[in-house]
Amino acid sequence: MPAYRLTTGKGPPVIFLPGYASDMEGAKALALEAWAKAAGRTFVRFDYAGCGQSEGLFEDQTLTGWRDDALAILDLFGEPAILIGSSMGGWIALMIARDHPEKVAALVGIAAAADFTDWGFSMEEKMKLLQDGRIERPSPYSDQPTVFTSRFWQSGEASRMTAAAIPIFCPVRLIHGLGDRDVPAERTMHLIQMIKSADIQATLIKDGDHRLSRDSDIALLIRTVESL
């Protein structure tokens, strides 16, 4: 079971799914927890295996393994939840909403990075992953490089979902910064076209970056969750 922090309250559970190599101590997760406590709402933040306070080695993990961590959190509840997925967490949230619709009341994607193992790596990087088993990239968010393994990459490639219509029918809200250098805003526009739900809206933030962790960005996120 992944490490998690539960705030108990009313309404459908709200669950925050972090991005790649992130954890439950990020600004968005903590701000959502503070909102939930003030509003009396049920909320969970958690760490994927190998991240933060959860057990395991980071380089042993896969996308589908982290999806299963999120499903374990969902199993804590007997009612559908609102999933908030940041970057890779958005991909995992979309996978769960497609495959387990009975568990998801609504979905919020923040720079949702569905299929990023496909479009997020150069051909040179893909070859190096296959040959060496791992690559490192400088991280703009940490002194340590970001590591990607062939294990994770192959799991992602086997889980691609945006080449055809996506049978998700719950309310979907997508938030994306036009200044995002990690996930192009065009990925959100593509998701709008592919997701079958009629109740889908996108909010584009002209000066927003990938993290969308400024006070104004978080206020928008909370308003979006409250609207659901």
Side-chain angles (χ1 to χ4, degrees):
M1 185 71 185
Y4 67 92
R5 299 291 180 269
L6 170 64
T7 299
T8 56
K10 61 182 190 239
V14 178
I15 301 175
F16 182 79
L17 287 70
Y20 186 86
S22 188
D23 59 37
M24 62 176 167
E25 300 297 328
K28 292 186 290 293
L30 295 176
L32 285 164
E33 182 179 72
W35 160 79
K37 289 178 177 178
R41 297 294 303 272
T42 299
F43 174 75
V44 180
R45 55 188 175 98
F46 73 98
D47 285 333
Y48 304 118
C51 301
Q53 299 174 38
S54 287
E55 296 180 353
L57 296 175
F58 180 80
E59 294 192 29
D60 288 343
Q61 310 309 316
T62 63
L63 180 73
T64 50
W66 286 341
R67 174 207 60 199
D68 293 344
D69 289 340
L71 285 169
I73 296 295
L74 276 166
D75 286 342
L76 295 171
F77 306 101
E79 60 181 310
I82 296 174
L83 302 183
I84 304 175
S86 178
S87 195
M88 182 200 71
W91 187 0
I92 292 175
L94 289 163
M95 292 168 63
I96 292 173
R98 178 194 65 187
D99 299 337
H100 303 277
E102 75 284 356
K103 294 181 179 290
V104 183
L107 187 157
V108 180
I110 307 163
D115 295 1
F116 82 87
T117 50
D118 175 34
W119 49 261
F121 293 80
S122 67
M123 187 57 64
E124 180 181 356
E125 287 178 320
K126 292 176 182 180
M127 292 302 298
K128 188 172 178 59
L129 276 166
L130 292 173
Q131 291 169 358
D132 300 343
R134 70 196 297 277
I135 62 171
E136 294 184 359
R137 283 182 184 167
S139 170
Y141 313 117
S142 169
D143 294 336
Q144 300 298 316
T146 302
V147 175
F148 298 93
T149 65
S150 59
R151 178 194 297 257
F152 174 85
W153 181 79
Q154 289 171 344
S155 176
E157 287 295 89
S159 304
R160 284 161 58 177
M161 62 186 301
T162 64
I166 305 170
I168 292 174
F169 300 97
C170 67
V172 176
R173 302 292 181 264
L174 302 173
I175 303 172
H176 213 124
L178 294 181
D180 190 332
R181 296 183 179 181
D182 297 309
V183 181
E186 288 77 12
R187 301 310 308 176
T188 279
M189 307 315 294
H190 183 65
L191 281 171
I192 289 177
Q193 295 175 341
M194 294 293 103
I195 294 171
K196 288 187 173 183
S197 175
D199 187 1
I200 181 169
Q201 300 174 16
T203 301
L204 302 178
I205 303 172
K206 185 173 183 179
D207 63 344
D209 61 8
H210 180 62
R211 303 186 87 177
L212 292 179
S213 292
R214 300 171 301 181
D215 290 347
S216 58
D217 301 327
I218 289 172
L220 171 64
L221 172 60
I222 289 172
R223 290 197 303 273
T224 302
V225 176
E226 288 176 333
S227 75
L228 294 168

